[in-house]
Amino acid sequence: MKKRSLLEAVAGSANVLLLALLAAVMFFPLYYVLVVSLTDPGEYLLKRIVLFPEDWSFEAYAYLLSTPAFMRSLGNSAFLATAGTLCSLAVSSSLAYALSQPRFLFRRGLLLMILLTILFSPGMIPNYLLVRELGLMNSIWALILPSLANGWTVILMKNFFDNVPAELNEAAAIDGCSAFRTWVSIVLPLSLPALATFGLFFAVGYWNQFFAALLYLNDSEKWPIQVLLQNMLLNASNIDLVTPGQQVEAPPTEMLKMAAIIVAIVPVLVVYPFLQKHFAKGALVGSIKG
């Protein structure tokens, strides 16, 4: 028994050490990006590779947040994430609630159509043609309307609504509530864990919109932050950030790139802890029960 316990202790220690090493390897790129973005420009120009800076500076962030192009792209992404998430939650939850009602006449047919969208994706070219025919080219709504809902999310939400007691709907109907009012006043407040979970998925997806923005947005003033960030990473110069006639001494280009990366990922890192308590509960109830 002692020998077995010793082996278990050694194996446990080895697992902890291995996981700690793996976590350090995965965390190091983020740490390096953050450190470079906060290093004093003079020190960075002297050392180039900085792991433990002597002088800290927010000059790169101050410069980025003072440029119209960067602030405009942040505003575009904020609008995209906010409006897209609200619209997607409204469409997905209303459709899922309708499909969860046994009295809904076209329930089976719609469920079959939704399942087909999960199995067979139309691809990039049909989506592009759809956006063009709808007149959404070069509009930020081209990134929202075609992706308001997806089959997988609707199915999971439906499974969640299936577990709402039918007595609540019956009591609401007796009190004279319409189906819409029942959904808004009773079902949605009881579905906050699921809404928080899927809202996080939607928000992250809209905030990280990149490829669709490259396809549908020709005007650089409508670019979200991810497209502008890609443009910054590919171009050796930061001239795209500065408006004509603006005279500002810019920090080193690499520092601006690192600062832009941090700014692009901070909103997700800030929002996630507030929704974490709902995340596990909403995901499990929506995917297991029913």
Side-chain angles (χ1 to χ4, degrees), residues 200-246:
L200 179 62
F201 290 154
F202 286 133
V204 172
Y206 283 116
W207 180 264
N208 291 329
Q209 279 279 10
F210 170 70
F211 187 68
L214 285 180
L215 287 179
Y216 306 139
L217 301 181
N218 300 320
D219 187 357
S220 60
E221 294 188 357
K222 298 179 180 179
W223 283 352
I225 184 63
Q226 305 300 337
V227 178
L228 181 66
L229 178 59
Q230 184 258 1
N231 188 60
M232 291 178 59
L233 295 177
L234 290 181
N235 295 330
S237 172
N238 57 4
I239 191 174
D240 293 328
L241 290 175
V242 184
T243 56
Q246 184 181 6

mmCIF file of all heavy atoms in Angstrom, residues 200-246:
data_model
loop_
_atom_site.group_PDB
_atom_site.id
_atom_site.type_symbol
_atom_site.label_atom_id
_atom_site.label_comp_id
_atom_site.label_asym_id
_atom_site.label_seq_id
_atom_site.Cartn_x
_atom_site.Cartn_y
_atom_site.Cartn_z
ATOM 1 N N LEU A 200 -22.798 34.700 -25.267
ATOM 2 C CA LEU A 200 -21.341 34.741 -25.291
ATOM 3 C C LEU A 200 -20.799 34.184 -26.599
ATOM 4 O O LEU A 200 -19.880 34.758 -27.207
ATOM 5 C CB LEU A 200 -20.784 33.948 -24.107
ATOM 6 C CG LEU A 200 -19.260 33.872 -24.007
ATOM 7 C CD1 LEU A 200 -18.664 35.256 -23.824
ATOM 8 C CD2 LEU A 200 -18.840 32.953 -22.862
ATOM 9 N N PHE A 201 -21.376 33.067 -27.066
ATOM 10 C CA PHE A 201 -20.955 32.503 -28.347
ATOM 11 C C PHE A 201 -21.173 33.497 -29.482
ATOM 12 O O PHE A 201 -20.293 33.716 -30.328
ATOM 13 C CB PHE A 201 -21.731 31.214 -28.639
ATOM 14 C CG PHE A 201 -21.354 30.063 -27.758
ATOM 15 C CD1 PHE A 201 -22.255 29.041 -27.505
ATOM 16 C CD2 PHE A 201 -20.108 30.004 -27.176
ATOM 17 C CE1 PHE A 201 -21.910 27.977 -26.684
ATOM 18 C CE2 PHE A 201 -19.745 28.939 -26.357
ATOM 19 C CZ PHE A 201 -20.647 27.925 -26.114
ATOM 20 N N PHE A 202 -22.359 34.102 -29.514
ATOM 21 C CA PHE A 202 -22.661 35.059 -30.569
ATOM 22 C C PHE A 202 -21.727 36.270 -30.503
ATOM 23 O O PHE A 202 -21.217 36.739 -31.530
ATOM 24 C CB PHE A 202 -24.120 35.519 -30.462
ATOM 25 C CG PHE A 202 -25.126 34.501 -30.907
ATOM 26 C CD1 PHE A 202 -26.248 34.235 -30.133
ATOM 27 C CD2 PHE A 202 -24.955 33.812 -32.094
ATOM 28 C CE1 PHE A 202 -27.181 33.286 -30.546
ATOM 29 C CE2 PHE A 202 -25.884 32.877 -32.511
ATOM 30 C CZ PHE A 202 -27.005 32.608 -31.730
ATOM 31 N N ALA A 203 -21.524 36.804 -29.299
ATOM 32 C CA ALA A 203 -20.704 38.009 -29.150
ATOM 33 C C ALA A 203 -19.272 37.765 -29.598
ATOM 34 O O ALA A 203 -18.682 38.591 -30.314
ATOM 35 C CB ALA A 203 -20.741 38.486 -27.694
ATOM 36 N N VAL A 204 -18.708 36.635 -29.196
ATOM 37 C CA VAL A 204 -17.335 36.319 -29.609
ATOM 38 C C VAL A 204 -17.259 36.134 -31.120
ATOM 39 O O VAL A 204 -16.312 36.600 -31.775
ATOM 40 C CB VAL A 204 -16.827 35.056 -28.877
ATOM 41 C CG1 VAL A 204 -15.484 34.605 -29.434
ATOM 42 C CG2 VAL A 204 -16.713 35.324 -27.388
ATOM 43 N N GLY A 205 -18.259 35.470 -31.695
ATOM 44 C CA GLY A 205 -18.268 35.272 -33.138
ATOM 45 C C GLY A 205 -18.348 36.576 -33.908
ATOM 46 O O GLY A 205 -17.614 36.794 -34.874
ATOM 47 N N TYR A 206 -19.227 37.479 -33.465
ATOM 48 C CA TYR A 206 -19.354 38.770 -34.151
ATOM 49 C C TYR A 206 -18.119 39.643 -33.926
ATOM 50 O O TYR A 206 -17.681 40.351 -34.832
ATOM 51 C CB TYR A 206 -20.608 39.499 -33.686
ATOM 52 C CG TYR A 206 -21.881 38.971 -34.289
ATOM 53 C CD1 TYR A 206 -22.873 38.380 -33.504
ATOM 54 C CD2 TYR A 206 -22.106 39.063 -35.661
ATOM 55 C CE1 TYR A 206 -24.045 37.894 -34.060
ATOM 56 C CE2 TYR A 206 -23.273 38.576 -36.223
ATOM 57 C CZ TYR A 206 -24.243 37.993 -35.426
ATOM 58 O OH TYR A 206 -25.398 37.513 -35.982
ATOM 59 N N TRP A 207 -17.573 39.619 -32.724
ATOM 60 C CA TRP A 207 -16.382 40.424 -32.448
ATOM 61 C C TRP A 207 -15.199 39.956 -33.300
ATOM 62 O O TRP A 207 -14.369 40.770 -33.716
ATOM 63 C CB TRP A 207 -16.030 40.343 -30.969
ATOM 64 C CG TRP A 207 -14.823 41.153 -30.601
ATOM 65 C CD1 TRP A 207 -13.537 40.715 -30.481
ATOM 66 C CD2 TRP A 207 -14.785 42.561 -30.305
ATOM 67 N NE1 TRP A 207 -12.701 41.750 -30.134
ATOM 68 C CE2 TRP A 207 -13.445 42.895 -30.022
ATOM 69 C CE3 TRP A 207 -15.752 43.558 -30.258
ATOM 70 C CZ2 TRP A 207 -13.044 44.185 -29.695
ATOM 71 C CZ3 TRP A 207 -15.361 44.847 -29.928
ATOM 72 C CH2 TRP A 207 -14.023 45.148 -29.657
ATOM 73 N N ASN A 208 -15.128 38.674 -33.573
ATOM 74 C CA ASN A 208 -14.016 38.119 -34.349
ATOM 75 C C ASN A 208 -14.316 38.024 -35.841
ATOM 76 O O ASN A 208 -13.593 37.321 -36.563
ATOM 77 C CB ASN A 208 -13.633 36.736 -33.816
ATOM 78 C CG ASN A 208 -12.988 36.810 -32.445
ATOM 79 O OD1 ASN A 208 -12.318 37.783 -32.118
ATOM 80 N ND2 ASN A 208 -13.197 35.782 -31.640
ATOM 81 N N GLN A 209 -15.356 38.692 -36.312
ATOM 82 C CA GLN A 209 -15.680 38.666 -37.733
ATOM 83 C C GLN A 209 -14.492 39.164 -38.560
ATOM 84 O O GLN A 209 -13.992 40.258 -38.354
ATOM 85 C CB GLN A 209 -16.894 39.548 -38.025
ATOM 86 C CG GLN A 209 -18.228 38.909 -37.725
ATOM 87 C CD GLN A 209 -18.698 37.981 -38.835
ATOM 88 O OE1 GLN A 209 -17.951 37.660 -39.748
ATOM 89 N NE2 GLN A 209 -19.937 37.560 -38.762
ATOM 90 N N PHE A 210 -14.054 38.328 -39.491
ATOM 91 C CA PHE A 210 -12.882 38.696 -40.292
ATOM 92 C C PHE A 210 -13.086 38.376 -41.765
ATOM 93 O O PHE A 210 -13.102 39.259 -42.620
ATOM 94 C CB PHE A 210 -11.646 37.979 -39.757
ATOM 95 C CG PHE A 210 -10.449 38.095 -40.655
ATOM 96 C CD1 PHE A 210 -9.793 39.307 -40.793
ATOM 97 C CD2 PHE A 210 -9.987 36.999 -41.369
ATOM 98 C CE1 PHE A 210 -8.688 39.436 -41.629
ATOM 99 C CE2 PHE A 210 -8.898 37.107 -42.201
ATOM 100 C CZ PHE A 210 -8.249 38.330 -42.340
ATOM 101 N N PHE A 211 -13.283 37.103 -42.083
ATOM 102 C CA PHE A 211 -13.334 36.705 -43.485
ATOM 103 C C PHE A 211 -14.541 37.311 -44.193
ATOM 104 O O PHE A 211 -14.433 37.795 -45.329
ATOM 105 C CB PHE A 211 -13.358 35.182 -43.599
ATOM 106 C CG PHE A 211 -13.234 34.690 -45.011
ATOM 107 C CD1 PHE A 211 -12.053 34.853 -45.713
ATOM 108 C CD2 PHE A 211 -14.299 34.083 -45.643
ATOM 109 C CE1 PHE A 211 -11.931 34.418 -47.020
ATOM 110 C CE2 PHE A 211 -14.193 33.640 -46.948
ATOM 111 C CZ PHE A 211 -13.003 33.806 -47.637
ATOM 112 N N ALA A 212 -15.708 37.287 -43.529
ATOM 113 C CA ALA A 212 -16.900 37.875 -44.149
ATOM 114 C C ALA A 212 -16.713 39.371 -44.366
ATOM 115 O O ALA A 212 -17.171 39.930 -45.373
ATOM 116 C CB ALA A 212 -18.125 37.612 -43.282
ATOM 117 N N ALA A 213 -16.031 40.036 -43.429
ATOM 118 C CA ALA A 213 -15.777 41.470 -43.601
ATOM 119 C C ALA A 213 -14.868 41.726 -44.793
ATOM 120 O O ALA A 213 -15.044 42.716 -45.524
ATOM 121 C CB ALA A 213 -15.158 42.035 -42.327
ATOM 122 N N LEU A 214 -13.900 40.855 -45.018
ATOM 123 C CA LEU A 214 -13.037 41.000 -46.191
ATOM 124 C C LEU A 214 -13.835 40.838 -47.486
ATOM 125 O O LEU A 214 -13.546 41.504 -48.489
ATOM 126 C CB LEU A 214 -11.905 39.965 -46.151
ATOM 127 C CG LEU A 214 -10.768 40.209 -45.170
ATOM 128 C CD1 LEU A 214 -9.752 39.076 -45.272
ATOM 129 C CD2 LEU A 214 -10.081 41.540 -45.436
ATOM 130 N N LEU A 215 -14.826 39.957 -47.474
ATOM 131 C CA LEU A 215 -15.602 39.697 -48.683
ATOM 132 C C LEU A 215 -16.594 40.819 -48.985
ATOM 133 O O LEU A 215 -16.756 41.214 -50.146
ATOM 134 C CB LEU A 215 -16.371 38.384 -48.540
ATOM 135 C CG LEU A 215 -15.571 37.085 -48.615
ATOM 136 C CD1 LEU A 215 -16.498 35.902 -48.419
ATOM 137 C CD2 LEU A 215 -14.837 36.965 -49.943
ATOM 138 N N TYR A 216 -17.259 41.334 -47.963
ATOM 139 C CA TYR A 216 -18.414 42.195 -48.189
ATOM 140 C C TYR A 216 -18.148 43.684 -47.970
ATOM 141 O O TYR A 216 -18.938 44.509 -48.411
ATOM 142 C CB TYR A 216 -19.565 41.772 -47.268
ATOM 143 C CG TYR A 216 -19.927 40.311 -47.386
ATOM 144 C CD1 TYR A 216 -20.225 39.551 -46.249
ATOM 145 C CD2 TYR A 216 -19.972 39.679 -48.622
ATOM 146 C CE1 TYR A 216 -20.556 38.208 -46.361
ATOM 147 C CE2 TYR A 216 -20.294 38.336 -48.731
ATOM 148 C CZ TYR A 216 -20.580 37.605 -47.597
ATOM 149 O OH TYR A 216 -20.895 36.281 -47.701
ATOM 150 N N LEU A 217 -17.067 44.041 -47.270
ATOM 151 C CA LEU A 217 -16.813 45.445 -46.954
ATOM 152 C C LEU A 217 -15.631 45.961 -47.769
ATOM 153 O O LEU A 217 -14.493 45.521 -47.575
ATOM 154 C CB LEU A 217 -16.528 45.614 -45.455
ATOM 155 C CG LEU A 217 -17.635 45.156 -44.502
ATOM 156 C CD1 LEU A 217 -17.235 45.409 -43.057
ATOM 157 C CD2 LEU A 217 -18.951 45.855 -44.811
ATOM 158 N N ASN A 218 -15.922 46.884 -48.673
ATOM 159 C CA ASN A 218 -14.867 47.495 -49.486
ATOM 160 C C ASN A 218 -14.372 48.809 -48.901
ATOM 161 O O ASN A 218 -13.258 49.247 -49.210
ATOM 162 C CB ASN A 218 -15.386 47.750 -50.907
ATOM 163 C CG ASN A 218 -15.830 46.469 -51.594
ATOM 164 O OD1 ASN A 218 -15.180 45.432 -51.464
ATOM 165 N ND2 ASN A 218 -16.941 46.530 -52.316
ATOM 166 N N ASP A 219 -15.180 49.436 -48.079
ATOM 167 C CA ASP A 219 -14.829 50.713 -47.475
ATOM 168 C C ASP A 219 -14.051 50.463 -46.183
ATOM 169 O O ASP A 219 -14.561 49.827 -45.249
ATOM 170 C CB ASP A 219 -16.104 51.516 -47.185
ATOM 171 C CG ASP A 219 -15.805 52.933 -46.721
ATOM 172 O OD1 ASP A 219 -14.615 53.272 -46.564
ATOM 173 O OD2 ASP A 219 -16.765 53.696 -46.527
ATOM 174 N N SER A 220 -12.823 50.968 -46.109
ATOM 175 C CA SER A 220 -11.991 50.745 -44.930
ATOM 176 C C SER A 220 -12.566 51.400 -43.684
ATOM 177 O O SER A 220 -12.239 51.002 -42.570
ATOM 178 C CB SER A 220 -10.574 51.275 -45.176
ATOM 179 O OG SER A 220 -10.589 52.663 -45.449
ATOM 180 N N GLU A 221 -13.433 52.406 -43.843
ATOM 181 C CA GLU A 221 -14.047 53.047 -42.686
ATOM 182 C C GLU A 221 -15.076 52.151 -41.995
ATOM 183 O O GLU A 221 -15.500 52.454 -40.884
ATOM 184 C CB GLU A 221 -14.703 54.362 -43.096
ATOM 185 C CG GLU A 221 -13.708 55.422 -43.563
ATOM 186 C CD GLU A 221 -14.364 56.760 -43.779
ATOM 187 O OE1 GLU A 221 -15.612 56.839 -43.626
ATOM 188 O OE2 GLU A 221 -13.653 57.726 -44.086
ATOM 189 N N LYS A 222 -15.486 51.072 -42.651
ATOM 190 C CA LYS A 222 -16.452 50.147 -42.066
ATOM 191 C C LYS A 222 -15.797 48.863 -41.571
ATOM 192 O O LYS A 222 -16.489 47.957 -41.126
ATOM 193 C CB LYS A 222 -17.535 49.812 -43.098
ATOM 194 C CG LYS A 222 -18.331 51.030 -43.543
ATOM 195 C CD LYS A 222 -19.373 50.659 -44.576
ATOM 196 C CE LYS A 222 -20.166 51.889 -45.026
ATOM 197 N NZ LYS A 222 -21.168 51.559 -46.052
ATOM 198 N N TRP A 223 -14.477 48.783 -41.637
ATOM 199 C CA TRP A 223 -13.791 47.583 -41.188
ATOM 200 C C TRP A 223 -13.946 47.380 -39.687
ATOM 201 O O TRP A 223 -13.813 48.336 -38.911
ATOM 202 C CB TRP A 223 -12.306 47.682 -41.499
ATOM 203 C CG TRP A 223 -11.954 47.434 -42.924
ATOM 204 C CD1 TRP A 223 -12.787 46.990 -43.909
ATOM 205 C CD2 TRP A 223 -10.673 47.632 -43.527
ATOM 206 N NE1 TRP A 223 -12.101 46.892 -45.090
ATOM 207 C CE2 TRP A 223 -10.810 47.272 -44.890
ATOM 208 C CE3 TRP A 223 -9.445 48.066 -43.056
ATOM 209 C CZ2 TRP A 223 -9.746 47.339 -45.773
ATOM 210 C CZ3 TRP A 223 -8.380 48.129 -43.932
ATOM 211 C CH2 TRP A 223 -8.530 47.768 -45.276
ATOM 212 N N PRO A 224 -14.184 46.155 -39.238
ATOM 213 C CA PRO A 224 -14.095 45.855 -37.801
ATOM 214 C C PRO A 224 -12.636 45.763 -37.378
ATOM 215 O O PRO A 224 -11.723 45.783 -38.201
ATOM 216 C CB PRO A 224 -14.817 44.505 -37.677
ATOM 217 C CG PRO A 224 -14.676 43.889 -39.022
ATOM 218 C CD PRO A 224 -14.677 45.015 -40.019
ATOM 219 N N ILE A 225 -12.424 45.616 -36.094
ATOM 220 C CA ILE A 225 -11.066 45.665 -35.544
ATOM 221 C C ILE A 225 -10.199 44.537 -36.075
ATOM 222 O O ILE A 225 -8.986 44.705 -36.273
ATOM 223 C CB ILE A 225 -11.126 45.628 -33.995
ATOM 224 C CG1 ILE A 225 -9.732 45.772 -33.395
ATOM 225 C CG2 ILE A 225 -11.802 44.371 -33.503
ATOM 226 C CD1 ILE A 225 -9.069 47.079 -33.697
ATOM 227 N N GLN A 226 -10.784 43.359 -36.350
ATOM 228 C CA GLN A 226 -9.977 42.234 -36.791
ATOM 229 C C GLN A 226 -9.375 42.469 -38.177
ATOM 230 O O GLN A 226 -8.241 42.065 -38.443
ATOM 231 C CB GLN A 226 -10.827 40.948 -36.788
ATOM 232 C CG GLN A 226 -11.497 40.627 -35.473
ATOM 233 C CD GLN A 226 -10.523 40.431 -34.338
ATOM 234 O OE1 GLN A 226 -9.362 40.125 -34.557
ATOM 235 N NE2 GLN A 226 -10.985 40.609 -33.114
ATOM 236 N N VAL A 227 -10.122 43.113 -39.051
ATOM 237 C CA VAL A 227 -9.599 43.394 -40.391
ATOM 238 C C VAL A 227 -8.501 44.449 -40.321
ATOM 239 O O VAL A 227 -7.461 44.335 -40.983
ATOM 240 C CB VAL A 227 -10.728 43.853 -41.331
ATOM 241 C CG1 VAL A 227 -10.184 44.187 -42.716
ATOM 242 C CG2 VAL A 227 -11.801 42.776 -41.433
ATOM 243 N N LEU A 228 -8.722 45.475 -39.520
ATOM 244 C CA LEU A 228 -7.684 46.492 -39.356
ATOM 245 C C LEU A 228 -6.435 45.897 -38.727
ATOM 246 O O LEU A 228 -5.303 46.218 -39.120
ATOM 247 C CB LEU A 228 -8.208 47.640 -38.492
ATOM 248 C CG LEU A 228 -7.226 48.793 -38.267
ATOM 249 C CD1 LEU A 228 -6.936 49.509 -39.577
ATOM 250 C CD2 LEU A 228 -7.753 49.771 -37.231
ATOM 251 N N LEU A 229 -6.613 44.999 -37.767
ATOM 252 C CA LEU A 229 -5.477 44.346 -37.127
ATOM 253 C C LEU A 229 -4.694 43.510 -38.132
ATOM 254 O O LEU A 229 -3.453 43.524 -38.136
ATOM 255 C CB LEU A 229 -5.969 43.469 -35.971
ATOM 256 C CG LEU A 229 -4.906 42.669 -35.213
ATOM 257 C CD1 LEU A 229 -3.858 43.599 -34.617
ATOM 258 C CD2 LEU A 229 -5.563 41.832 -34.121
ATOM 259 N N GLN A 230 -5.408 42.792 -38.985
ATOM 260 C CA GLN A 230 -4.723 42.011 -40.020
ATOM 261 C C GLN A 230 -3.945 42.916 -40.966
ATOM 262 O O GLN A 230 -2.827 42.611 -41.371
ATOM 263 C CB GLN A 230 -5.753 41.186 -40.801
ATOM 264 C CG GLN A 230 -5.164 40.269 -41.848
ATOM 265 C CD GLN A 230 -5.298 40.813 -43.261
ATOM 266 O OE1 GLN A 230 -5.839 41.911 -43.449
ATOM 267 N NE2 GLN A 230 -4.816 40.078 -44.233
ATOM 268 N N ASN A 231 -4.519 44.069 -41.288
ATOM 269 C CA ASN A 231 -3.826 45.021 -42.151
ATOM 270 C C ASN A 231 -2.566 45.564 -41.475
ATOM 271 O O ASN A 231 -1.526 45.740 -42.117
ATOM 272 C CB ASN A 231 -4.774 46.175 -42.490
ATOM 273 C CG ASN A 231 -4.203 47.102 -43.526
ATOM 274 O OD1 ASN A 231 -3.896 46.692 -44.646
ATOM 275 N ND2 ASN A 231 -4.035 48.362 -43.161
ATOM 276 N N MET A 232 -2.649 45.795 -40.164
ATOM 277 C CA MET A 232 -1.485 46.257 -39.424
ATOM 278 C C MET A 232 -0.396 45.202 -39.355
ATOM 279 O O MET A 232 0.797 45.489 -39.469
ATOM 280 C CB MET A 232 -1.893 46.666 -38.006
ATOM 281 C CG MET A 232 -2.730 47.912 -37.915
ATOM 282 S SD MET A 232 -3.185 48.266 -36.189
ATOM 283 C CE MET A 232 -1.557 48.430 -35.445
ATOM 284 N N LEU A 233 -0.775 43.948 -39.163
ATOM 285 C CA LEU A 233 0.216 42.880 -39.034
ATOM 286 C C LEU A 233 0.927 42.582 -40.350
ATOM 287 O O LEU A 233 2.089 42.187 -40.364
ATOM 288 C CB LEU A 233 -0.454 41.604 -38.507
ATOM 289 C CG LEU A 233 -1.030 41.684 -37.095
ATOM 290 C CD1 LEU A 233 -1.719 40.381 -36.728
ATOM 291 C CD2 LEU A 233 0.059 42.001 -36.090
ATOM 292 N N LEU A 234 0.220 42.788 -41.465
ATOM 293 C CA LEU A 234 0.832 42.507 -42.768
ATOM 294 C C LEU A 234 1.711 43.657 -43.252
ATOM 295 O O LEU A 234 2.722 43.424 -43.917
ATOM 296 C CB LEU A 234 -0.255 42.221 -43.809
ATOM 297 C CG LEU A 234 -1.020 40.914 -43.651
ATOM 298 C CD1 LEU A 234 -2.037 40.761 -44.770
ATOM 299 C CD2 LEU A 234 -0.065 39.719 -43.642
ATOM 300 N N ASN A 235 1.324 44.886 -42.933
ATOM 301 C CA ASN A 235 2.077 46.048 -43.404
ATOM 302 C C ASN A 235 3.147 46.428 -42.402
ATOM 303 O O ASN A 235 2.881 46.491 -41.196
ATOM 304 C CB ASN A 235 1.139 47.240 -43.636
ATOM 305 C CG ASN A 235 0.158 46.965 -44.764
ATOM 306 O OD1 ASN A 235 0.465 46.221 -45.689
ATOM 307 N ND2 ASN A 235 -1.020 47.554 -44.684
ATOM 308 N N ALA A 236 4.312 46.687 -42.886
ATOM 309 C CA ALA A 236 5.422 47.068 -42.014
ATOM 310 C C ALA A 236 5.257 48.490 -41.502
ATOM 311 O O ALA A 236 5.891 48.897 -40.533
ATOM 312 C CB ALA A 236 6.748 46.937 -42.745
ATOM 313 N N SER A 237 4.416 49.285 -42.138
ATOM 314 C CA SER A 237 4.246 50.684 -41.752
ATOM 315 C C SER A 237 2.917 50.863 -41.055
ATOM 316 O O SER A 237 1.962 50.127 -41.289
ATOM 317 C CB SER A 237 4.311 51.589 -42.983
ATOM 318 O OG SER A 237 3.966 52.919 -42.635
ATOM 319 N N ASN A 238 2.850 51.854 -40.183
ATOM 320 C CA ASN A 238 1.608 52.162 -39.490
ATOM 321 C C ASN A 238 0.906 53.357 -40.118
ATOM 322 O O ASN A 238 0.091 54.003 -39.482
ATOM 323 C CB ASN A 238 1.881 52.454 -38.005
ATOM 324 C CG ASN A 238 2.888 53.586 -37.846
ATOM 325 O OD1 ASN A 238 3.315 54.186 -38.830
ATOM 326 N ND2 ASN A 238 3.279 53.855 -36.616
ATOM 327 N N ILE A 239 1.203 53.646 -41.380
ATOM 328 C CA ILE A 239 0.666 54.849 -42.016
ATOM 329 C C ILE A 239 -0.846 54.792 -42.159
ATOM 330 O O ILE A 239 -1.511 55.815 -42.211
ATOM 331 C CB ILE A 239 1.337 55.055 -43.402
ATOM 332 C CG1 ILE A 239 0.985 56.442 -43.964
ATOM 333 C CG2 ILE A 239 0.935 53.947 -44.366
ATOM 334 C CD1 ILE A 239 1.726 56.779 -45.241
ATOM 335 N N ASP A 240 -1.409 53.560 -42.205
ATOM 336 C CA ASP A 240 -2.851 53.422 -42.377
ATOM 337 C C ASP A 240 -3.632 53.936 -41.169
ATOM 338 O O ASP A 240 -4.824 54.184 -41.261
ATOM 339 C CB ASP A 240 -3.216 51.963 -42.634
ATOM 340 C CG ASP A 240 -2.702 51.466 -43.973
ATOM 341 O OD1 ASP A 240 -2.627 52.268 -44.906
ATOM 342 O OD2 ASP A 240 -2.373 50.286 -44.049
ATOM 343 N N LEU A 241 -2.962 54.061 -40.029
ATOM 344 C CA LEU A 241 -3.658 54.513 -38.837
ATOM 345 C C LEU A 241 -3.783 56.030 -38.776
ATOM 346 O O LEU A 241 -4.612 56.554 -38.040
ATOM 347 C CB LEU A 241 -2.918 54.029 -37.576
ATOM 348 C CG LEU A 241 -2.963 52.536 -37.290
ATOM 349 C CD1 LEU A 241 -2.095 52.224 -36.095
ATOM 350 C CD2 LEU A 241 -4.383 52.081 -37.058
ATOM 351 N N VAL A 242 -2.979 56.724 -39.499
ATOM 352 C CA VAL A 242 -2.899 58.168 -39.358
ATOM 353 C C VAL A 242 -3.660 58.842 -40.486
ATOM 354 O O VAL A 242 -3.505 58.481 -41.651
ATOM 355 C CB VAL A 242 -1.430 58.642 -39.357
ATOM 356 C CG1 VAL A 242 -1.356 60.138 -39.109
ATOM 357 C CG2 VAL A 242 -0.643 57.884 -38.302
ATOM 358 N N THR A 243 -4.490 59.800 -40.148
ATOM 359 C CA THR A 243 -5.210 60.551 -41.161
ATOM 360 C C THR A 243 -4.275 61.551 -41.821
ATOM 361 O O THR A 243 -3.292 61.990 -41.216
ATOM 362 C CB THR A 243 -6.394 61.297 -40.522
ATOM 363 O OG1 THR A 243 -5.901 62.117 -39.464
ATOM 364 C CG2 THR A 243 -7.400 60.320 -39.985
ATOM 365 N N PRO A 244 -4.532 61.934 -43.071
ATOM 366 C CA PRO A 244 -3.675 62.880 -43.759
ATOM 367 C C PRO A 244 -3.553 64.194 -42.988
ATOM 368 O O PRO A 244 -4.530 64.751 -42.505
ATOM 369 C CB PRO A 244 -4.396 63.087 -45.100
ATOM 370 C CG PRO A 244 -5.193 61.844 -45.294
ATOM 371 C CD PRO A 244 -5.617 61.434 -43.925
ATOM 372 N N GLY A 245 -2.323 64.687 -42.888
ATOM 373 C CA GLY A 245 -2.072 65.937 -42.197
ATOM 374 C C GLY A 245 -1.847 65.798 -40.714
ATOM 375 O O GLY A 245 -1.494 66.757 -40.040
ATOM 376 N N GLN A 246 -2.031 64.575 -40.153
ATOM 377 C CA GLN A 246 -1.835 64.383 -38.725
ATOM 378 C C GLN A 246 -0.351 64.188 -38.437
ATOM 379 O O GLN A 246 0.292 63.314 -39.012
ATOM 380 C CB GLN A 246 -2.634 63.162 -38.237
ATOM 381 C CG GLN A 246 -2.551 62.945 -36.734
ATOM 382 C CD GLN A 246 -3.330 61.710 -36.314
ATOM 383 O OE1 GLN A 246 -3.824 60.976 -37.155
ATOM 384 N NE2 GLN A 246 -3.434 61.489 -35.020
#
